[in-house]
Amino acid sequence: MPSHTEENYLKAIYKLSEAQPGVEVSTNRIAEVLQTRPASVTDMLRRLGEKGLLHYERYRGVSLTHDGRRVALLTIRKHRLWEVFLVNKLGFNWDEVHDVAEEMEHLQSPLLIRRLDEFLGFPQLDPHGDPIPAEDGAIVRPQHRLVSDLQPGEEGTVMAVKNTSVPFLQYLDKAGLSLGAKIEVLDKVAFDNSLEIRINSNKVTLISNEISCNLFVAD
Amino acid sequence: MPSHTEENYLKAIYKLSEAQPGVEVSTNRIAEVLQTRPASVTDMLRRLGEKGLLHYERYRGVSLTHDGRRVALLTIRKHRLWEVFLVNKLGFNWDEVHDVAEEMEHLQSPLLIRRLDEFLGFPQLDPHGDPIPAEDGAIVRPQHRLVSDLQPGEEGTVMAVKNTSVPFLQYLDKAGLSLGAKIEVLDKVAFDNSLEIRINSNKVTLISNEISCNLFVAD
DNA sequence: TAATTTTCCTCGGTGTGACTGGGCACTTTG
DNA sequence: CAAAGTGCCCAGTCACACCGAGGAAAATTA
Ligand SMILES: [Mn+2]
Ligand SMILES: [Mn+2]
Ligand SMILES: [Mn+2]
Ligand SMILES: [Mn+2]
């Protein structure tokens, strides 16, 4: 039974390795995202290596074993299912759920998660548009494009967010850019890559590159 | 923020002091119900005393402070609300919920509990008939009698169970003695205090004193 | 390739939380 | 009062997570 901290490390390592497939995950990077010191990370890596959850060769970076990947995906599954529960059943807003789910993802009962999944109607996506891994760890990589990659004249529907920070989500709510919103790119400012877009065939707004780099759309 | 273990200790102490009001709770008794050694209990009592959660005077037993009582009642509130959730929403049976709720009761977000309470429709009783403390710690002592105190000719409706062990609850399910069942006492065997009862104006059964001492009824 | 910079491992150590056996002090009981 | 029972205290264990410093290894650059 992995501890809370171990689950958090494995989840972080999984996400880092997904962000740059093929590249081994570095100690410093892990320390950075987990807000801790490299020495602490090395320490935990050794322990997780001994438990067979990751391949740890000194100086060579790290990659998850099959078991480690399973634990990471199960933790992500729990996190995202609880987020769906919080939003769809308890009426939380999508910007309020992260910290609570961060705690709930460590509940261990497999029966609980199976029944929760059923209760929620076997959702495929969490409130931020991220895919929910199946019980066996299967996960579908969604076909998305970043809004920042759209050219003038192209359009799409907002499907997911890359960043789930509270200020970003609140900005999107305010701008009418929640999941499902339709976006047409009217113009691109060459100087700072900001975009002029039309939202839901209605209001025209300017969004910065910082925003468009964190928003996914699909046709 | 109390740790899981501290919450478990406070809950146990609260329950022991309720079981025998007025009497201070003893170290050995706590060790017994928490399945640990008296030395460990002394250790924890000192720490909880320092944190102002209980009155701890060596050799004099222990009683909760106002704050300690609040933590205990809040933990019980969380435990029982999650039990209601598991039974009413996720389709658990009343004999399956205890261990899961034992873990969920340690989730800390107050907002989560408030929204959960609302989602469940502000239930007053958990699946075992136990009252759910309010947010401010208020709890209503239910007016119950033990079935073992009924005399032949008396009747009542099953309102709560004193024991929540899996075998006991499964026995009750099988015997048709779930919450809401109507009981008429037909006869009492003087030798072993077992009772002959009629269930729901229908089947007649014999129940042992062991059973009737753990079942509450009201008129 | 050599020098420099960057990465990160190792070592020794800290702090906390929880638990424990054994000896002895205190309290209760007879 | 003596014996029995209870519970405190000590000294120690163990697991977990963290960290600074120093130097080894790797990567980068010159
Ligand atoms: Mn977490
Ligand atoms: Mn999410
Ligand atoms: Mn518990
Ligand atoms: Mn209960």
Side-chain angles (χ1 to χ4, degrees):
Chain A
M1 209 86 327
S3 70
H4 290 199
T5 314
E6 286 172 350
E7 286 189 332
N8 287 339
Y9 269 86
L10 292 169
K11 208 177 63 163
I13 293 166
Y14 173 82
K15 288 188 174 179
L16 287 171
S17 67
E18 284 297 291
Q20 287 192 16
V23 181
E24 304 281 276
V25 178
S26 81
T27 301
N28 277 0
R29 197 77 186 79
I30 298 170
E32 201 179 313
V33 305
L34 290 181
Q35 303 260 61
T36 183
R37 303 281 137 200
S40 313
V41 175
T42 303
D43 199 28
M44 179 61 94
L45 292 184
R46 192 185 36 70
R47 276 166 45 207
L48 292 173
E50 279 168 11
K51 292 194 180 184
L53 295 167
L54 45 79
H55 298 293
Y56 177 49
E57 231 177 308
R58 341 153 249 142
Y59 296 107
R60 303 303 276 258
V62 88
S63 61
L64 297 180
T65 62
H66 183 267
D67 279 2
R69 201 183 141 83
R70 254 205 114 271
V71 173
L73 281 163
L74 177 57
T75 307
I76 290 171
R77 170 174 164 81
K78 291 186 286 182
H79 185 102
R80 293 182 180 167
L81 282 174
W82 285 119
E83 283 190 345
V84 172
F85 170 70
L86 294 173
V87 168
N88 291 8
K89 301 295 183 177
L90 296 199
F92 279 70
N93 200 326
W94 69 340
D95 65 343
E96 298 177 309
V97 297
H98 197 78
D99 291 347
V100 181
E102 201 61 41
E103 206 185 343
M104 299 185 89
E105 74 190 358
H106 303 296
L107 293 170
Q108 291 297 346
S109 164
L111 180 59
L112 172 63
I113 299 305
R114 208 173 313 130
R115 297 259 168 97
L116 176 67
D117 195 16
E118 190 183 342
F119 177 60
L120 298 174
F122 306 105
Q124 297 302 302
L125 299 175
D126 85 353
H128 310 103
D130 292 316
I132 297 173
E135 210 172 344
D136 64 3
I139 184 169
V140 289
R141 224 179 212 297
Q143 300 304 313
H144 289 155
R145 302 168 65 191
L146 283 175
V147 171
S148 56
D149 290 338
L150 295 183
Q151 297 308 315
E154 290 192 287
E155 58 178 56
T157 304
V158 178
M159 299 301 283
V161 292
K162 191 171 183 177
N163 182 307
T164 59
S165 70
V166 174
F168 181 59
L169 297 178
Q170 285 182 353
Y171 167 87
L172 293 180
D173 275 340
K174 207 167 160 187
L177 286 169
S178 308
L179 300 196
K182 190 181 146 203
I183 288 182
E184 300 167 58
V185 177
L186 306 178
D187 196 14
K188 184 173 207 163
V189 180
F191 175 63
D192 64 353
N193 284 319
S194 57
L195 296 176
E196 192 182 42
I197 61 171
R198 186 189 302 279
I199 302 173
N200 289 325
S201 313
N202 187 3
K203 205 174 50 168
V204 173
T205 326
L206 202 69
I207 60 172
S208 72
N209 187 247
E210 188 67 20
I211 300 294
S212 62
C213 279
N214 283 292
L215 256 192
F216 289 108
V217 290
D219 310 306
Chain B
M1 209 87 324
S3 71
H4 291 199
T5 314
E6 285 172 351
E7 287 188 331
N8 287 339
Y9 269 86
L10 291 169
K11 208 176 64 162
I13 293 166
Y14 174 81
K15 287 188 174 179
L16 286 171
S17 66
E18 285 296 290
Q20 287 191 16
V23 181
E24 305 281 276
V25 178
S26 81
T27 302
N28 277 0
R29 198 76 186 79
I30 298 170
E32 200 178 312
V33 306
L34 290 180
Q35 303 260 60
T36 184
R37 305 280 138 202
S40 315
V41 175
T42 304
D43 196 29
M44 179 61 94
L45 293 184
R46 192 185 37 70
R47 276 165 46 207
L48 292 173
E50 279 168 11
K51 292 195 180 185
L53 295 168
L54 46 79
H55 298 292
Y56 177 47
E57 231 177 310
R58 339 147 249 144
Y59 295 107
R60 304 304 276 254
V62 87
S63 61
L64 297 180
T65 61
H66 184 266
D67 280 2
R69 200 184 142 84
R70 255 205 113 271
V71 173
L73 281 163
L74 177 57
T75 307
I76 290 171
R77 169 174 165 81
K78 290 187 287 181
H79 185 102
R80 293 182 181 166
L81 283 174
W82 284 120
E83 283 190 344
V84 172
F85 170 71
L86 293 172
V87 168
N88 291 8
K89 301 294 183 178
L90 296 199
F92 279 70
N93 200 324
W94 68 341
D95 65 343
E96 298 177 308
V97 297
H98 196 78
D99 292 347
V100 181
E102 201 60 42
E103 206 184 343
M104 300 186 89
E105 74 190 357
H106 303 296
L107 293 170
Q108 291 297 346
S109 164
L111 180 60
L112 171 63
I113 300 305
R114 208 172 313 131
R115 297 259 168 98
L116 176 67
D117 194 17
E118 189 182 343
F119 178 59
L120 299 173
F122 307 105
Q124 297 302 303
L125 299 175
D126 85 354
H128 310 103
D130 292 315
I132 296 173
E135 211 172 345
D136 64 2
I139 186 170
V140 289
R141 227 180 211 295
Q143 301 304 316
H144 289 156
R145 302 168 64 190
L146 282 175
V147 171
S148 56
D149 290 338
L150 295 182
Q151 298 308 316
E154 292 191 286
E155 59 178 56
T157 304
V158 178
M159 300 299 285
V161 293
K162 190 171 184 176
N163 182 307
T164 59
S165 71
V166 174
F168 180 60
L169 297 177
Q170 286 182 353
Y171 167 85
L172 294 180
D173 276 340
K174 208 167 160 187
L177 285 170
S178 309
L179 301 196
K182 190 182 146 202
I183 287 181
E184 300 166 58
V185 176
L186 305 178
D187 197 14
K188 183 171 207 163
V189 180
F191 175 63
D192 64 354
N193 284 319
S194 57
L195 296 176
E196 193 182 41
I197 61 171
R198 186 190 301 277
I199 302 172
N200 289 326
S201 315
N202 188 3
K203 205 174 49 169
V204 174
T205 327
L206 202 68
I207 60 173
S208 72
N209 186 247
E210 190 67 21
I211 300 293
S212 61
C213 280
N214 283 292
L215 257 192
F216 289 108
V217 290
D219 309 307

